């Protein structure tokens, strides 16, 4: 094991347990222990708070899973990557078929390697099966300061015959016998990211997507807590976030000895991958960690990891601009004059980026036509897009545009020219979702064509600084008749193709900011957030519903990537009427956007919006670059409170919301977090002073959060207050 320019204490340490190799990964406050079990199976006996011990054997107290006569069986044992062929009967990560039909694999340890990749230690553990001609390398990328380990596996055909991967998951996370609850994120269109907590019981809980995208219905993230532990700020939490934007699976299984066995990775349903001799397959990455600061602590670890390590480096540290998006205002009926008028008003309010959504291209007057034809609609923009872009730039804003590159309407020039470019099954009538079909992004010619279309769009009309990449239907009839041998690879090849197109365009247009969207938050996962800078969270822009959606999103992702619009009332999705300030205060929790028909807003509304946007600009460093604490998680009627603290802990903002009040009842006291106990803080609005210690221990009365608002808090109350260290 060698690696240069990392402190010795940061390197994964080779240890020995019972004369066999073991590895200790030491993170800021977490230790992870790996070792070899019976038949060289890779075990992960400990992942948790560092126990202040240098003896890894202190961590190996996992009880046997089987009766003594079956001691060699690995059920109940903390296996880090079970394969079909191991002596166990739980979900495996790997199934490899040989030409003779056998699918049994037995991996033996070969070697370990330590590298320094971009300043972070990486431990590779190499295993092989001589009989099958298979090599598997487990990668553990250790983000010491972030308390996160990113895992993946590379599976290589080193033999002389074709191997078919029938299942190739990323990793397993074993947890010791105990009683646990699983937290997962679920929903549907307009109701994404609803946090569900449920007990894990004997059997399996499977969360997954088979829809082509990571989906609205389940999000590739999980957190595990001791049973009934609901506290936001304390308690053990193990978590994982899968960097994959296609079909995925996460199975959480309670074993015979009450140990928990979690596996996650690419969905094995309808998956198979051919590996000819010399070829390899690398799984998507799983970012995992442990916190003993409750769900809040786990979320903050993932958020900091996205902010400081994961999001695209070019824009990672740049404040996200306040955007205006025309979708709810104009739908498909976009036109040059009306967009210019919207842009003027948006600029006057203080927005920084003007985005034209769907409807600007081809013969796009509704959702029946033109997807695939990415040329400007001359009837809607008689002087070209450049006129609007110049106008927007002249107003001091950046310009952004909407695309949906993976889709095609049958009524489009692209489909008429290349009907075979859409997934299809010869002789079978396709299912239309939103009147469109899915283009086969596994095909080189499809990707090349779309890359060229987008390249032209980004270079032909003046400078475009922002692209929203949408994806509006689940995939069906996912056929590729010309390549039957790769038919079951398309689910993966397509997603890799999307990443590749984004990588190419990011390289060629390094200044462009990208937003991932899939009919709302249907593909707002860690995979897309490697190639895009922010995510559209949900098409549901109702401020009350957004509290729940944004809370769920921020369990797994940073507020710096969470885009929220202020739209009109009655809300288009729910009919609810929330005050403008409430809508703003909710949208201020992440990346603020305006999505209403501001041509119709009154002078008073425009004035209030201008004032609120100016306030957001003051708060943006806290919201987008601070640490987030949910003080009171949202409930259907409220109240709800969320706090953001600067990295130095010297400034904080607290937002409070209540949809429906009971006279005299409110949120009670809010105990702040993350402040410096010994420092004095002053409330910006009225100059009241207190110490960090008192603000955290005694808290603040919620109804005084905005001193200009009367108490008691009643319907549609919202406000915020800022405290600054003096
Ligand atoms: C779905 C998105 O979520 C919306 O914001 C909008 O862009 C529409 N698609 C446009 O078709």
């Amino acid at each position: 094991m060698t690696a240069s320019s990392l402190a010795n204490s940061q390197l994964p340490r080779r240890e020995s347990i019972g004369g066999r190799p073991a590895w200790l990964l030491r993170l800021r406050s977490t230790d992870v222990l790996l070792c070899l079990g019976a038949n060289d199976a890779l075990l992960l006996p400990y992942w948790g708070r560092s126990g202040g011990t240098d003896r890894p054997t202190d961590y190996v107290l996992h009880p046997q899973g089987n009766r003594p006569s079956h001691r060699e069986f690995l059920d109940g044992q903390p296996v880090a990557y079970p394969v079909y062929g191991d002596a166990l009967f739980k979900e495996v990560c790997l199934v490899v078929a040989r030409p003779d039909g056998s699918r049994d694999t037995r991996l033996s340890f070969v070697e370990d390697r330590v590298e320094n990749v971009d300043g972070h230690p990486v431990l590779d553990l190499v295993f092989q099966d001589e009989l099958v001609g298979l090599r598997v390398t487990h990668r553990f990328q250790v983000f010491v300061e972030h308390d996160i380990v990113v895992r993946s596996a590379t599976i290589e055909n080193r033999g002389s015959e074709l191997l078919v991967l029938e299942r190739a998951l990323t990793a397993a996370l074993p947890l010791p016998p105990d009683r646990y609850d699983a937290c997962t994120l679920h929903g549907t269109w307009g109701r994404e990211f609803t946090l569900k907590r449920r007990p894990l019981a004997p059997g399996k809980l499977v969360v997954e997507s088979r829809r082509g995208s990571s989906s609205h219905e389940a999000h590739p993230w999980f957190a595990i807590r001791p049973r009934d532990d609901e506290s936001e700020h304390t308690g053990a939490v193990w978590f994982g976030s899968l960097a994959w934007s296609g079909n995925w699976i996460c199975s959480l299984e309670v074993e015979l000895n009450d140990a928990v066995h979690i596996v996650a990775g690419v969905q094995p349903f309808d998956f198979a991958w051919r590996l000819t001799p010399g070829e390899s397959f690398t799984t998507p990455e799983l970012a995992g960690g442990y916190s003993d600061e409750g769900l809040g602590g786990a979320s903050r670890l993932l958020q900091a990891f996205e902010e400081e390590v994961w999001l695209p480096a070019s824009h990672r540290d740049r404040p996200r601009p306040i955007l205006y998006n025309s979708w709810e205002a104009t739908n498909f009926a976009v036109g040059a004059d009306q967009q210019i008028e919207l842009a003027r008003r948006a600029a006057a309010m203080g927005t920084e980026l003007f985005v034209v959504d769907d409807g600007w291209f081809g013969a796009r007057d509704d959702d029946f036509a033109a997807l695939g034809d990415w040329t400007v609609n001359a009837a809607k923009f008689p002087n070209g897009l450049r006129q609007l872009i110049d106008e927007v730039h002249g107003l001091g804003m950046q310009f952004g545009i909407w695309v949906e590159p993976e889709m095609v309407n049958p009524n489009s020039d692209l489909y008429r020219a290349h009907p075979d470019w859409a997934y299809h099954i010869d002789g079978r009538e396709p299912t239309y979702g939103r009147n469109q079909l899915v283009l086969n992004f596994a095909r080189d010619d499809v990707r090349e064509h779309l890359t060229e279309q987008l390249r032209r769009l980004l270079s032909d009309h003046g400078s475009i600084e922002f692209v929203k990449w949408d994806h509006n239907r689940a995939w069906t009839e996912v056929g590729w008749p010309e390549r039957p041998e790769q038919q079951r690879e398309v689910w993966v090849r397509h997603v890799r193709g999307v990443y590749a197109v984004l990588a190419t365009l990011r390289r060629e247009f390094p200044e462009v900011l990208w937003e991932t969207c899939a009919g709302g938050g249907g593909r707002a996962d860690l995979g897309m957030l490697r190639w895009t800078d922010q995510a559209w969270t949900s098409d549901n822009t109702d401020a009350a519903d957004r509290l729940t959606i944004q809370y769920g999103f921020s369990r797994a992702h940073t507020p710096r990537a969470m885009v929220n619009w202020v739209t009109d009332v009655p809300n288009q999705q729910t009919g609810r009427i929330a005050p403008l300030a409430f809508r703003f205060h909710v949208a201020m929790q992440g990346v603020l956007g305006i999505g209403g028909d501001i041509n119709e807003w009154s002078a008073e509304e425009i004035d209030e919006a201008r004032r609120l946007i100016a306030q957001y600009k003051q708060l943006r460093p806290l919201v987008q670059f601070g640490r987030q604490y949910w003080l009171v998680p949202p409930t259907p009627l409220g109240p709800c409170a969320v706090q953001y603290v600067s990295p130095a802990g010297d400034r904080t903002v607290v937002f409070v919301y209540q949809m429906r009040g009971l006279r005299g009842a409110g949120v009670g006291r809010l105990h702040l977090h993350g402040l410096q106990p010994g420092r004095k803080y002053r409330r910006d609005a009225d100059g009241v002073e207190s110490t960090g210690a008192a603000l955290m221990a005694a808290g603040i009365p919620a109804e005084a959060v905005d001193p200009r608002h009367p108490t008691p808090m009643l319907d549609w109350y919202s406000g915020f207050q800022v405290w600054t260290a003096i």
Side-chain angles (χ1 to χ4, degrees):
M1 297 217 301
T2 53
S4 53
S5 61
L6 281 169
N8 268 345
S9 59
Q10 294 186 329
L11 291 176
R13 278 186 11 206
R14 163 78 92 90
E15 305 279 349
S16 158
I17 296 180
R20 313 229 48 214
W23 301 267
L24 187 60
L25 316 181
R26 307 213 95 159
L27 293 90
R28 183 166 52 97
S29 50
T30 318
D31 280 356
V32 179
L33 180 68
L34 296 152
C35 62
L36 298 181
N39 288 325
D40 269 9
L42 181 64
L43 303 184
L44 201 168
Y46 186 76
W47 189 323
R49 171 199 262 277
S50 28
T53 178
D54 269 342
R55 289 191 323 162
T57 42
D58 292 352
Y59 288 139
V60 192
L61 301 173
H62 212 79
Q64 282 291 335
N66 282 282
R67 56 191 189 272
S69 61
H70 288 57
R71 217 184 277 284
E72 294 224 329
F73 282 66
L74 289 165
D75 286 285
Q77 293 296 301
V79 185
Y81 200 80
V83 303
Y84 182 37
D86 284 337
L88 46 75
F89 304 93
K90 52 188 169 187
E91 282 293 341
V92 294
C93 289
L94 185 67
V95 180
V96 182
R98 296 166 67 195
D100 71 0
S102 69
R103 286 142 78 243
D104 180 282
T105 300
R106 182 83 48 89
L107 294 168
S108 309
F109 176 64
V110 177
E111 61 172 347
D112 53 11
R113 291 192 297 254
V114 173
E115 279 182 76
N116 172 354
V117 178
D118 301 330
H120 302 283
V122 169
L123 170 68
D124 282 336
L125 299 179
V126 184
F127 291 76
Q128 79 182 21
D129 183 335
E130 293 281 359
L131 183 68
V132 175
L134 188 76
R135 191 166 259 236
V136 178
T137 303
H138 298 297
R139 172 155 281 212
F140 298 84
Q141 208 170 348
V142 186
F143 294 90
V144 175
E145 286 311 312
H146 297 88
D147 268 321
I148 296 258
V149 178
V150 174
R151 297 173 63 185
S152 60
T154 297
I155 301 141
E156 195 185 341
N157 183 347
R158 290 212 153 193
S160 54
E161 52 187 22
L162 173 76
L163 299 176
V164 178
L165 307 183
E166 295 187 347
R167 171 185 283 239
L169 303 191
T170 298
L173 171 65
L175 296 178
D178 209 336
R179 284 151 39 89
Y180 297 98
D181 287 339
C183 301
T184 48
L185 293 165
H186 298 275
T188 181
W189 176 85
R191 186 161 48 82
E192 300 89 331
F193 299 107
T194 312
L195 184 70
K196 299 279 180 208
R197 206 187 89 223
R198 58 198 135 166
L200 286 175
K204 282 173 208 158
L205 166 65
V206 176
V207 286
E208 62 177 3
S209 169
R210 300 180 179 204
R211 293 169 180 264
S213 67
S214 50
S215 92
H216 305 77
E217 284 69 20
H219 192 66
W221 168 91
F222 64 86
I224 309 297
R225 322 191 57 172
R227 176 76 45 88
D228 293 334
D229 190 347
E230 288 186 60
S231 70
E232 171 68 20
H233 306 292
T234 56
V237 177
W238 293 263
F239 60 89
S241 185
L242 185 69
W244 189 240
S245 312
N247 287 355
W248 59 277
I249 193 167
C250 176
S251 158
L252 307 111
E253 179 173 0
V254 175
E255 295 204 62
L256 67 181
N257 59 345
D258 294 327
V260 164
H261 171 68
I262 302 164
V263 294
V266 165
Q267 169 68 262
F269 172 75
D270 200 26
F271 164 86
W273 192 277
R274 291 156 51 90
L275 277 187
T276 55
E279 284 185 333
S280 64
F281 177 90
T282 297
T283 68
E285 292 158 303
L286 177 71
Y290 167 84
S291 168
D292 53 13
E293 292 179 13
L295 259 192
S299 301
R300 279 187 295 282
L301 289 180
L302 273 176
Q303 292 174 351
F305 174 71
E306 286 187 342
E307 291 160 11
E308 291 159 20
V309 174
W310 191 263
L311 287 169
S314 59
H315 290 68
R316 195 183 286 155
D317 298 331
R318 298 195 204 174
R320 303 300 191 252
I322 301 166
L323 63 83
Y324 176 81
N325 180 299
S326 64
W327 173 244
E328 284 204 17
T330 57
N331 254 253
F332 300 100
V334 298
D337 293 346
Q338 148 240 54
Q339 292 289 311
I340 289 171
E341 187 50 33
L342 286 168
R344 288 194 183 127
R345 287 179 161 241
M349 282 163 50
T351 63
E352 300 157 330
L353 163 67
F354 183 82
V355 183
V356 177
D357 209 280
D358 201 346
W360 60 268
F361 54 92
R364 185 80 165 165
D365 292 323
D366 51 34
D367 58 17
F368 282 87
L371 286 176
D373 301 340
W374 301 108
T375 48
V376 179
N377 181 312
K380 294 180 179 182
F381 294 94
N383 303 315
L385 210 49
R386 187 178 284 268
Q387 179 200 17
L388 174 60
I389 294 179
D390 288 348
E391 191 78 36
V392 166
H393 287 157
L395 290 163
M397 288 188 292
Q398 298 182 318
F399 181 82
I401 201 149
W402 176 96
V403 289
E404 194 177 1
E406 297 150 83
M407 300 290 164
V408 66
N409 287 114
N411 182 7
S412 67
D413 292 342
L414 181 68
Y415 188 77
R416 282 183 281 274
H418 299 285
D420 52 325
W421 281 11
Y423 290 120
H424 63 284
I425 291 167
D426 286 338
R428 173 93 60 223
E429 180 63 19
T431 309
Y432 298 98
R434 210 195 190 200
N435 314 303
Q436 63 199 48
L437 299 171
V438 186
L439 288 171
N440 181 347
F441 255 53
R443 290 178 63 131
D444 295 344
D445 47 6
V446 169
R447 284 196 315 277
E448 278 155 21
H449 176 81
L450 268 302
T451 305
E452 181 55 20
Q453 297 301 300
L454 294 173
R455 188 179 282 131
R456 285 210 195 133
L457 173 63
L458 291 176
S459 26
D460 284 359
H461 311 279
S463 167
I464 294 181
E465 287 95 359
F466 171 94
V467 178
K468 174 178 171 186
W469 181 306
D470 205 346
H471 171 288
N472 277 299
R473 65 156 293 179
W475 312 356
T476 54
E477 299 87 29
V478 187
W480 191 1
E482 298 81 2
R483 289 281 182 87
E485 72 289 354
Q486 289 191 334
Q487 175 60 60
R488 291 203 285 162
E489 298 177 3
V490 286
W491 300 100
V492 169
R493 288 189 183 275
H494 181 122
V495 177
R496 287 183 173 178
V498 171
Y499 295 160
V501 172
L502 279 163
T504 302
L505 293 169
R506 285 200 84 106
R507 207 170 40 247
E508 293 180 16
F509 302 92
E511 283 306 309
V512 173
L513 184 82
W514 297 81
E515 181 172 297
T516 175
C517 171
R523 201 165 62 177
D525 51 69
L526 195 63
M528 280 307 271
L529 286 173
R530 187 96 207 220
W531 302 107
T532 60
D533 308 282
Q534 57 189 42
W536 178 225
T537 324
S538 176
D539 277 349
N540 183 347
T541 57
D542 174 292
D545 286 1
R546 285 299 280 224
L547 286 174
T548 302
I549 293 168
Q550 294 173 191
Y551 166 74
F553 180 92
S554 68
R555 303 284 55 173
H557 303 291
T558 166
R560 197 181 303 173
M562 179 173 76
V563 182
N564 318 311
W565 304 343
V566 175
T567 54
D568 296 335
V569 287
N571 181 269
Q572 286 189 6
Q573 288 79 30
T574 65
R576 258 192 216 112
I577 300 178
L580 190 62
F582 190 98
R583 285 176 268 151
F584 262 96
H585 290 153
V586 172
M588 285 180 183
Q589 285 179 3
V591 180
L592 176 65
I594 317 294
D597 187 357
I598 51 179
N599 283 342
E600 298 296 317
W601 285 17
S602 68
E604 293 73 40
E605 285 172 321
I606 297 271
D607 253 13
E608 191 176 358
R610 189 182 297 118
R611 182 178 64 78
L612 287 157
I613 288 173
Q615 286 178 346
Y616 176 74
K617 287 180 181 167
Q618 300 294 314
L619 302 179
R620 175 163 47 189
L622 286 171
V623 169
Q624 293 190 13
F625 290 81
R627 299 274 75 87
Q628 185 195 51
Y629 295 85
W630 285 94
L631 304 183
V632 185
T635 50
L637 300 180
C640 165
V642 61
Q643 181 197 359
Y644 299 80
V645 187
S646 65
D650 56 358
R651 190 166 154 82
T652 187
V653 59
V654 184
F655 292 95
V656 173
Y657 313 87
Q658 180 156 292
M659 272 75 82
R660 184 86 194 277
L662 188 61
R663 188 167 178 81
V667 74
R669 293 187 83 76
L670 299 171
H671 297 272
L672 305 195
H673 285 261
L675 304 181
Q676 299 180 30
R679 291 193 70 175
K680 254 198 168 170
Y681 291 78
R682 180 178 293 146
R683 185 159 57 195
D684 281 12
D686 59 1
V688 166
E689 290 179 8
S690 184
T691 63
L695 291 170
M696 293 192 286
I700 54 173
E703 56 268 32
V705 153
D706 184 344
R708 288 161 312 167
H709 276 68
T711 56
M713 301 199 314
L714 284 175
D715 296 358
W716 294 116
Y717 175 89
S718 70
F720 66 86
Q721 63 179 286
V722 177
W723 292 80
T724 310
I726 48 177

